[in-house]
Structure formats: structure tokens, C-alpha cells
Amino acid sequence: MSGKIKVLPTSRIGIGPLSDMAEQMRSFLPGWEDTRPTAERKTQASDLRWDLEHLAQHDADGVLVASLASEVVGFVASFVRSRWLLISQLWVLPEYREAGAAEALFRRALLFGQRSGATKVAFDALTPWHVALGIGFGLSPSFLLLRLLLPVERALPLAHQLVKLQPGTEVTAEAVGRRAFFADLERLDRLVRGFARPMDHEYWLFSRNLRLAVIREGDRITAYAYGGAGQCGPVVGATEEASLAAFGWALQFTAGSLSEKAENVSVSCLLPTTFARAFDHILEPKPEVTAASYWLANENPRAGYFLPASFSLL
């Protein structure tokens, strides 16, 4: 393991081997064993592959690979939205963890953020050593993200209960095609998350083909929800009641897509502990809480309610 760690950006062409590495390493994390690659899953692109290709297209300088001699020993996926640098994945082969690869990747991700005008940083720390790494770079734990698995047959009744809390509608394909509601989505993103992400909405709607619903309070749209193709979220809402209703739509979309494909399957979602009332509802049907990660940041999150988009796009 002698030699110097080199860190360089990658491209969409090089994403395949990186997503394979990430899928293998994720499946060995406690609570993520069900994501282990199988022969059947390998016939379709994984959520990691989709998201990493999207990030490599829009944030190529933020998808960084660490190598030692000619061997790839790790990588980081980071992206900038408005003034926020979000570091969603940092993978290092265990045998190279003491060689400085993680520190080199994190340092270069921060440099990418600075050069892109970011002044705020958030990091999804998946393991204790991730937490220590983030704290070492000046970040502080803000809240926990819990991974929950809820069987489809229990997710659907909960979804039907939640969608009744506030009036909501699914956005039609015709409205999506003419970018209706996009200004409302951006307004909610800025209000709740503190950044705009138009390229991510384009990706979820036109590449991932997720379904979209909006929640209204009077004439005002106060929350939105995506779901489908095995992905529950993102959900963003300005009020708690609207966010709960939006969460119901996300569950409904995702559970519906899974129930059409197989039996004995579960909806997977990432739920921040800041969204406390969501737990009051989702714990009733007894989901399996499989994993936890820490959201580390150099600034406290804004007031609002959200579920991250996915493992990669926080």
C-alpha cells in the first residue's frame, strides 16, 4: 500500500465500475443487506447507477475517484445546489482506509464545493468512521436519517390514510410535459431545503419516470411528493400536515409500483428524525428500522419537512 493517493474526477463512461463497487459495499453495511446485487438485479440498472450517471452528467467535477498506483481504492459523489455542497456517498475499500484515501476524497470534494461557490456543506455519514471524518473537517451532527422497510400490504393502507389529510392531486403527464408546477417545486425547495435543484426534477420525471403529486392548502401548493419504480421520495413540504399528505402519495406511488412486480416486497424510505409526526404514523404498521446515518452539516437545516430523494440525491 505504499505510494501516493491520487484523486481525479471521473466521467459518465467510468460510472459502471464505480456503481458496482458502491453496490457491493452498500450491501455489506448493517441494514442494507437486502440490496445485495443478484443475477436478476444485474439485468437492470440500480438506483446507484442511475443517480451516479446523473451526477456525473451535471456535477462531473464532484464525482471523484481515488487511486493508488493503478488501482481504484475509493470514490466520492458530491454535488452543488445553489450554495450547498452535498456529499452523499464516500466509499473506500477497507484495506485502504488507513492510507488517507477518505481524507483525500473529502478534501477534494470540499475544494470542488468552494470553487463552485458553495458556502454550506452537508454530508450523509453512513458509518461511525464517516461521522469521525466529517467532524474532523468541521461538520456537526444535525439529525439522524433512518432507513425503514414497510411491506407493501401495510404501506398501502397507511398511504390511503395519509393522503386524506390534505387535498392533493397527481400531476398529469401532459402537465409534466409543459413543466407545470415547476416554479412551485423550486419555491418549496428554496423554502424548505435552502437550494434549488431544477436538473434533479428533470431527472426524476424524465429519466426515472417517477410519478409526482402536489398538495394544496387553499390556492397555494405547500408540498410535493415523488414515488415509483422502487423509490419513495423526495417529499418536501412547508407545513407538517401537507408534508404528511405528500408522504402518503409517495408511499402510494412506490407501493403500487412494487405490488405490480412481485409478492412479499417492502417499500424502503429514508426518514429524517426531524420529521417527527411522520414517525407517529409509520410506526403504527410496525416497519423494520434497518439502518441509521447521520446528517452532518456546517449549518442547521431550515424549518420544514422533507424525505431525501434517494441514497445518492439527498
Side-chain angles (χ1 to χ4, degrees), residues 75-130:
F75 77 92
V76 65
S78 60
F79 55 101
V80 171
R81 298 293 179 265
S82 301
R83 294 289 182 177
W84 275 96
L85 168 70
L86 296 108
I87 303 173
S88 62
Q89 292 189 53
L90 192 150
W91 303 105
V92 175
L93 295 175
E95 59 269 33
Y96 292 97
R97 201 173 295 159
E98 300 299 321
E103 290 81 359
L105 286 165
F106 207 97
R107 192 174 293 109
R108 280 291 299 274
L110 292 175
L111 181 60
F112 157 68
Q114 292 168 6
R115 289 174 173 171
S116 302
T119 57
K120 306 166 189 176
V121 181
F123 173 42
D124 186 22
L126 302 170
T127 67
W129 72 265
H130 277 130

Side-chain angles (χ1 to χ4, degrees), residues 162-178:
L162 291 175
V163 298
K164 295 176 183 177
L165 293 174
Q166 290 280 347
T169 54
E170 181 176 359
V171 179
T172 65
E174 182 274 332
V176 167
R178 57 185 172 83

Side-chain angles (χ1 to χ4, degrees), residues 41-91:
R41 284 178 178 155
K42 286 184 178 179
T43 61
Q44 299 178 347
S46 69
D47 59 322
L48 287 173
R49 177 67 178 264
W50 275 106
D51 288 351
L52 287 172
E53 286 190 348
H54 168 65
L55 292 177
Q57 179 181 2
H58 290 280
D59 300 84
D61 290 340
V63 183
L64 300 156
V65 176
S67 60
L68 187 58
S70 60
E71 183 177 3
V72 172
V73 299
F75 77 92
V76 65
S78 60
F79 55 101
V80 171
R81 298 293 179 265
S82 301
R83 294 289 182 177
W84 275 96
L85 168 70
L86 296 108
I87 303 173
S88 62
Q89 292 189 53
L90 192 150
W91 303 105

Side-chain angles (χ1 to χ4, degrees), residues 193-205:
R193 302 301 309 275
F195 52 80
R197 55 192 322 169
M199 70 289 289
D200 298 327
H201 288 285
E202 294 272 343
Y203 163 66
W204 294 319
L205 288 168

Side-chain angles (χ1 to χ4, degrees), residues 126-142:
L126 302 170
T127 67
W129 72 265
H130 277 130
V131 173
L133 179 70
I135 291 174
F137 278 93
L139 306 183
S140 301
S142 296

Side-chain angles (χ1 to χ4, degrees), residues 150-284:
L150 186 62
V152 165
E153 63 271 17
R154 283 185 255 158
L156 284 170
L158 174 61
H160 295 155
Q161 173 190 339
L162 291 175
V163 298
K164 295 176 183 177
L165 293 174
Q166 290 280 347
T169 54
E170 181 176 359
V171 179
T172 65
E174 182 274 332
V176 167
R178 57 185 172 83
R179 272 62 173 177
F181 304 109
F182 272 40
D184 296 287
L185 305 184
E186 182 168 333
R187 174 180 56 80
L188 284 167
D189 285 336
R190 289 188 182 279
L191 175 68
V192 177
R193 302 301 309 275
F195 52 80
R197 55 192 322 169
M199 70 289 289
D200 298 327
H201 288 285
E202 294 272 343
Y203 163 66
W204 294 319
L205 288 168
F206 302 112
S207 296
R208 294 300 305 273
N209 295 312
L210 298 179
R211 296 165 71 179
L212 169 66
V214 293
I215 308 300
R216 296 179 181 273
E217 292 185 7
D219 295 331
R220 194 169 181 80
I221 290 173
T222 51
Y224 70 76
Y226 285 91
Q231 178 172 313
C232 184
V235 171
V236 170
T239 70
E240 198 167 38
E241 203 82 354
S243 304
L244 285 169
F247 183 31
W249 280 95
L251 279 173
Q252 184 171 270
F253 289 153
T254 309
S257 73
L258 292 171
S259 64
E260 297 169 1
K261 295 179 180 180
E263 296 181 355
N264 302 318
V265 291
S266 295
V267 175
S268 171
C269 64
L270 299 172
L271 194 56
T273 51
T274 48
F275 195 177
R277 272 195 64 198
F279 286 96
D280 294 340
H281 292 272
I282 201 170
L283 292 179
E284 187 176 332

